Amino acid sequence: MKPPLHLVPAAPLESRPELPGALSPWLVEHGLRELRLLFRAVVFHPSSPILIADDERNYQDASVGAGKLLGLQRDSIIGRRLDDFLAPSVSALFQERWQQFLKEGDQAGTFQLLRPDGTSYDVEYRARGSVLPFLHLLLLKDKPPLSEGSVAADETPHWAQDYALCLLDAQGRVVAWHGGAERMYGYRSEEVLGAGLAFFYPADDRLLVRMERKLLRAAREGHAASEAWQCRKDGSQFWANSVTMALHDEAGVLQGYARVVRDFTDRHERDEALDSRRTGLQAETDQSKIAGVASGEFERIVEMNDPLLELLGYTRADLLAGQIVWAAVTPKEYAASDEFAHEEALRFGASSPFEKEFFRKDGTRVRVRVATAVLKLSPFRWITFVTDLRSEPDAQVSLASLAHEPRRLFPEIVGSSRALSRVLAQVELVAPTDATVLVLGETGTGKELIALALHRLSPRRNFPFVSVNCAAIPTGLLESELFGYERGAFTGALQQKIGRFEMAHRGTLFLDEVGDIPLELQPKLLRALQEKCFERLGSTRTTPIDIRLVAATNQNLTQMVGDKLFRSDLYYRLKVFPVTLPALRERPEDIPLLARHFTKKYSERMGRRIDLISSATLAALVDWSWPGNIRELENFIEKSVILSRGTSLRAPLAELRAMAPTQTGSSLEDVERDHIVRILQESGGVVSVAARRLQVPRTTLNALMKRLRVSRTGL
């Protein structure tokens, strides 16, 4: 029988404001299921053996590491009982221990497991109760034989010892708080329910605002992940890794958020070192050979192309027979790197490329460079690009020097931050392929520069790069602009016109603002991409094309798919490898470099000599959030150069201070309302204009205005 889901307390909280209105019925009915799906995506990958069991010791989920420890594939574990793997001599004893654990909620000890060949071995375990209602966490670890005089050490990694799971409503308030969250934060459920986002960051407005933005990003892109220091009830801090998934109903309306938090304090320094190492590595795209692509769902491989099969020594018959287990292809010494790549892909959409080895079918190893992108969080779907490094010499340059070496492959892109370096590394890896790339990011982050870099690093670099801004071309003309037309196809068609698809033949076609393509044109675009051919308007002849497509948008395509404004099949055809550009506020260390770059650019253009920027000016520029990103910074620097009369930049900092928000730590609802009101005011109260500026459908904006109680009459 399905257990009831109690999301709010029966009585109003004394220390928290009572939740206004009734809790979303959709969240009550579906919230626990969605939280469990998110939990599956997070827990399946770690190399540490992790099992999720119900009260009756039935395994509901397992990590890749659990499969390796038990000698079975993960799918073969789920649905079985813990007792199936226990040595007969300890089975009865463990049943008693389990009943005691259900009462106490925490237990550690040792038991014997059976190998598939019937032999037994000792395993240490740590059980944590009620990470979700009636679901418990079981952490396993091989118990090495003790030498004489040695003492067993508790090597269970602290980051894997618990999972804090909770649900938030659409306004960001806690509406469900489970056992792992109580243990990690030290707050009981009744102390937390109804709390807003400020609960997580009680004394840091900057981190609070960052979390608000993460929720907004999750609402736009489906999910968001982050890492930051958080506080427990006793005042201690821990480095929290959090993954937040937006929950939308069948109509695409935001209902709340599912959230999983883990304590990564012990692995924080290790991950920092791995991050530095990866962002320092430079791909040699002219020497490397792309071996292939694999995609799958959880640990199951759905597709693998022929070059990768050949590299690994398998046949397609082996793949169809399920003989290739993705988790088993990697040697165990690369487990930490693989886990970091998984976490990185959850946070940024795709991991930085890194070097490792694969096992071939014959047991030999091959050196490769890989990067993985998350295509969908629930159920978890991924795609991995692999570069064959057998023809490359081993790197002899120190990683420390590489980390600070400027990237010669991207002369137009300014910055040295890790966030930017991660994106450029992804570009270097995917550029030599023909894979479609979807570039995501806010307005003004430089999406077209990334598209141009993809073209210049690809084998198509000597052929055309054709760019189309789908938002700048009137809807009625976009089809003829993309596909061309024959003479006489319509009134005014006095001669044949070649479309952008045909112009980009053998080269790269960049579709900017792809979310603005009208719904009625999307089937023809999808057909052209899938069949690699099209017909001009007024023609019956099919024209074959050979292009590499790069698309970009700052719109929420996921929500547009839910609103029936964008075809789901076209969306997944475009999202073969997503590259997400960080906002400028997420890489503040690049702001001084960009400020100097734009100062030099515009002072030379205006025939002036400006070679000084005061430290106070740079500090003010770094502190500003730059909602318009690099484009806003560039325009501000251009204006500053115009105002400057000497050799020092004279920046109108008062303008930035005047635009600064008067309050910090506002609720997510207040942030949304203030932003929509400001855009409506700047748009003269015209909803269609404001919707276009906000990059959302007009119907979505009207629904938001109704929910946030925003009226045009009060503007």
Side-chain angles (χ1 to χ4, degrees):
M1 180 177 177
K2 184 178 177 182
L5 177 59
H6 300 292
L7 293 176
V8 294
L13 298 171
E14 295 179 2
S15 58
R16 301 289 181 186
E18 188 176 357
L19 294 177
L23 190 65
S24 159
W26 187 96
L27 199 58
V28 173
E29 181 178 355
H30 301 285
L32 183 59
R33 176 179 60 85
E34 295 296 325
L35 186 56
R36 182 172 173 177
L37 290 173
L38 172 62
F39 189 34
R40 288 191 66 201
V42 173
V43 81
F44 99 93
H45 192 276
S47 59
S48 298
I50 302 172
L51 296 163
I52 307 300
D54 61 19
D55 286 353
E56 303 302 321
R57 302 188 297 284
N58 297 307
Y59 289 141
Q60 302 296 321
D61 223 315
S63 70
V64 169
K68 291 182 178 180
L69 177 68
L70 297 174
L72 296 169
Q73 292 191 30
R74 181 171 159 272
D75 286 345
S76 301
I77 300 172
I78 298 173
R80 298 178 66 178
R81 297 191 74 207
L82 172 60
D83 306 50
D84 298 338
F85 302 97
L86 291 175
S89 59
V90 301
S91 180
L93 175 61
F94 191 79
Q95 290 181 31
E96 296 178 8
R97 288 189 192 175
W98 187 259
Q99 295 304 315
Q100 183 181 1
F101 159 70
L102 292 179
K103 295 177 182 178
E104 298 176 354
D106 196 357
Q107 192 177 91
T110 304
F111 54 60
Q112 283 189 328
L113 290 179
L114 286 176
R115 294 188 178 93
D117 61 6
T119 60
S120 62
Y121 59 105
D122 290 335
V123 171
E124 296 180 17
Y125 73 90
R126 181 70 178 269
R128 297 282 198 174
S130 300
V131 286
L132 282 173
F134 308 102
L135 289 181
H136 315 288
L137 188 68
L138 192 64
L139 304 160
L140 307 180
K141 179 170 70 71
D142 252 329
K143 184 179 180 181
L146 294 177
S147 59
E148 187 175 352
S150 64
V151 179
D154 181 12
E155 297 176 355
T156 305
H158 182 64
W159 63 267
Q161 287 184 353
D162 225 338
Y163 288 74
L165 281 76
C166 64
L167 280 173
L168 311 178
D169 65 13
Q171 287 71 45
R173 293 168 299 194
V174 178
V175 295
W177 190 255
H178 299 294
E182 291 187 343
R183 291 186 293 268
M184 189 174 297
Y185 286 93
Y187 291 96
R188 297 189 307 276
S189 178
E190 57 267 24
E191 296 178 276
V192 176
L193 292 175
L197 296 180
F199 160 78
F200 294 97
Y201 304 102
D204 196 327
D205 286 341
R206 283 180 173 270
L207 290 177
L208 175 58
V209 171
R210 188 179 301 175
M211 183 173 177
E212 291 170 344
R213 288 170 176 160
K214 287 295 181 183
L215 290 190
L216 291 173
R217 178 188 161 197
R220 289 196 310 268
E221 301 175 14
H223 85 279
S226 62
E227 292 189 6
W229 291 104
Q230 290 191 20
C231 289
R232 297 185 176 91
K233 183 178 180 179
D234 62 8
S236 62
Q237 289 189 321
F238 67 100
W239 185 255
N241 174 289
S242 61
V243 182
T244 304
M245 181 174 70
L247 306 180
H248 296 89
D249 63 15
E250 295 77 7
V253 178
L254 179 68
Q255 298 292 331
Y257 302 89
R259 185 171 170 84
V260 177
V261 180
R262 290 164 291 167
D263 184 348
F264 271 26
T265 305
D266 283 0
R267 63 180 284 179
H268 178 42
E269 291 186 4
R270 186 203 76 179
D271 286 354
E272 287 284 305
L274 281 170
D275 199 9
S276 298
R277 177 176 179 177
R278 293 188 183 185
T279 53
L281 292 174
Q282 180 112 0
E284 298 293 338
T285 52
D286 290 334
Q287 300 178 23
S288 304
K289 178 184 177 183
I290 292 295
V293 183
S295 61
E297 183 172 311
F298 289 100
E299 77 279 14
R300 183 173 64 90
I301 301 173
V302 175
E303 183 55 59
M304 183 179 288
N305 68 349
D306 291 335
L308 185 52
L309 286 169
E310 182 180 354
L311 177 72
L312 297 178
Y314 288 94
T315 65
R316 187 153 296 278
D318 294 332
L319 175 65
L320 296 175
Q323 295 184 22
I324 310 176
V325 181
W326 191 241
V329 173
T330 299
K332 63 180 181 180
E333 60 263 34
Y334 295 98
S337 294
D338 268 3
E339 285 181 27
F340 180 78
H342 177 68
E343 301 299 339
E344 200 177 24
L346 288 175
R347 288 182 64 188
F348 305 108
S351 70
S352 300
F354 68 102
E355 294 182 12
K356 60 183 286 188
E357 290 179 316
F358 277 152
F359 282 127
R360 304 184 78 247
K361 185 178 182 180
D362 60 9
T364 60
R365 298 189 180 198
V366 58
R367 192 163 65 99
V368 295
R369 181 181 294 116
V370 299
T372 297
V374 174
L375 300 180
K376 193 176 181 182
L377 198 60
S378 176
F380 187 80
R381 293 174 184 164
W382 51 269
I383 185 169
T384 296
F385 287 79
V386 181
T387 307
D388 180 0
L389 298 183
R390 288 177 296 182
S391 61
E392 289 190 8
D394 290 335
Q396 300 295 325
V397 184
S398 70
L399 293 171
S401 63
L402 278 174
H404 300 288
E405 181 180 323
R407 292 180 178 271
R408 298 181 298 273
L409 299 176
F410 305 95
E412 305 94 345
I413 300 175
V414 178
S416 59
S417 63
R418 288 184 183 177
L420 181 62
S421 297
R422 179 179 296 108
V423 169
L424 299 185
Q426 293 167 3
V427 169
E428 291 174 20
L429 185 76
V430 75
T433 74
D434 268 344
T436 301
V437 177
L438 179 61
V439 185
L440 303 169
E442 298 178 8
T443 298
T445 49
K447 294 187 287 293
E448 186 163 3
L449 289 179
I450 294 297
L452 189 58
L454 284 163
H455 173 71
R456 289 178 176 174
L457 296 177
S458 75
R460 300 173 181 267
R461 65 178 69 89
N462 296 322
F463 295 98
F465 174 81
V466 179
S467 178
V468 183
N469 189 319
C470 301
I473 300 174
T475 301
L477 301 180
L478 185 57
E479 182 177 2
S480 62
E481 192 68 30
L482 291 175
F483 301 108
Y485 54 80
E486 297 289 347
R487 179 180 178 181
F490 51 83
T491 303
L494 302 180
Q495 59 184 3
Q496 184 189 74
K497 178 181 178 178
I498 302 298
R500 302 294 180 96
F501 266 85
E502 206 165 348
M503 292 168 60
H505 183 59
R506 302 182 67 188
T508 301
L509 177 63
F510 175 50
L511 295 181
D512 198 6
E513 305 296 350
V514 71
D516 284 279
I517 295 178
L519 192 61
E520 61 271 16
L521 181 56
Q522 293 174 22
K524 186 169 183 178
L525 174 60
L526 180 63
R527 178 176 178 272
L529 296 176
Q530 290 180 336
E531 301 183 11
K532 298 183 179 181
C533 62
F534 69 95
E535 294 91 27
R536 299 193 196 109
L537 286 174
S539 174
T540 57
R541 183 173 65 88
T542 299
T543 302
I545 51 169
D546 174 21
I547 64 166
R548 196 267 183 85
L549 182 70
V550 179
T553 184
N554 60 4
Q555 296 194 50
N556 183 356
L557 292 185
T558 305
Q559 182 170 343
M560 292 182 67
V561 169
D563 291 340
K564 309 299 182 185
L565 298 174
F566 203 87
R567 291 178 61 103
S568 60
D569 47 5
L570 177 58
Y571 171 63
Y572 290 112
R573 181 64 182 81
L574 296 176
K575 194 182 178 182
V576 174
F577 191 88
V579 173
T580 303
L581 290 181
L584 186 55
R585 61 179 172 272
E586 295 173 358
R587 52 186 186 107
E589 59 269 44
D590 287 339
I591 292 177
L593 298 176
L594 288 162
R596 294 186 182 99
H597 170 76
F598 292 133
T599 299
K600 180 180 178 182
K601 171 183 174 180
Y602 287 105
S603 60
E604 289 178 352
R605 182 176 296 180
M606 299 177 191
R608 300 180 181 180
R609 180 184 175 185
I610 300 176
D611 47 23
L612 294 174
I613 304 178
S614 69
S615 57
T617 297
L618 287 177
L621 296 180
V622 170
D623 284 342
W624 180 240
S625 61
W626 299 109
N629 293 294
I630 299 173
R631 185 179 294 122
E632 181 186 1
L633 174 62
E634 181 176 5
N635 294 338
F636 183 80
I637 295 297
E638 181 181 11
K639 181 176 182 178
S640 301
V641 171
I642 294 173
L643 296 175
S644 301
R645 290 293 177 263
T647 59
S648 180
L649 186 71
R650 181 184 176 186
L653 299 179
E655 294 185 7
L656 296 182
R657 298 189 186 101
M659 291 187 292
T662 57
Q663 295 181 350
T664 56
S666 301
S667 69
L668 179 62
E669 184 176 287
D670 291 337
V671 173
E672 288 182 300
R673 183 187 296 107
D674 292 345
H675 184 57
I676 290 174
V677 168
R678 181 172 63 83
I679 296 299
L680 280 167
Q681 289 173 338
E682 295 174 0
S683 305
V686 180
V687 174
S688 58
V689 176
R692 189 172 187 83
R693 289 192 57 186
L694 290 167
Q695 301 295 332
V696 298
R698 177 182 175 133
T699 54
T700 300
L701 179 55
N702 281 324
L704 281 171
M705 291 171 62
K706 183 178 181 180
R707 178 171 66 82
L708 299 172
R709 299 179 298 280
V710 175
S711 172
R712 287 183 296 171
T713 59
L715 300 176

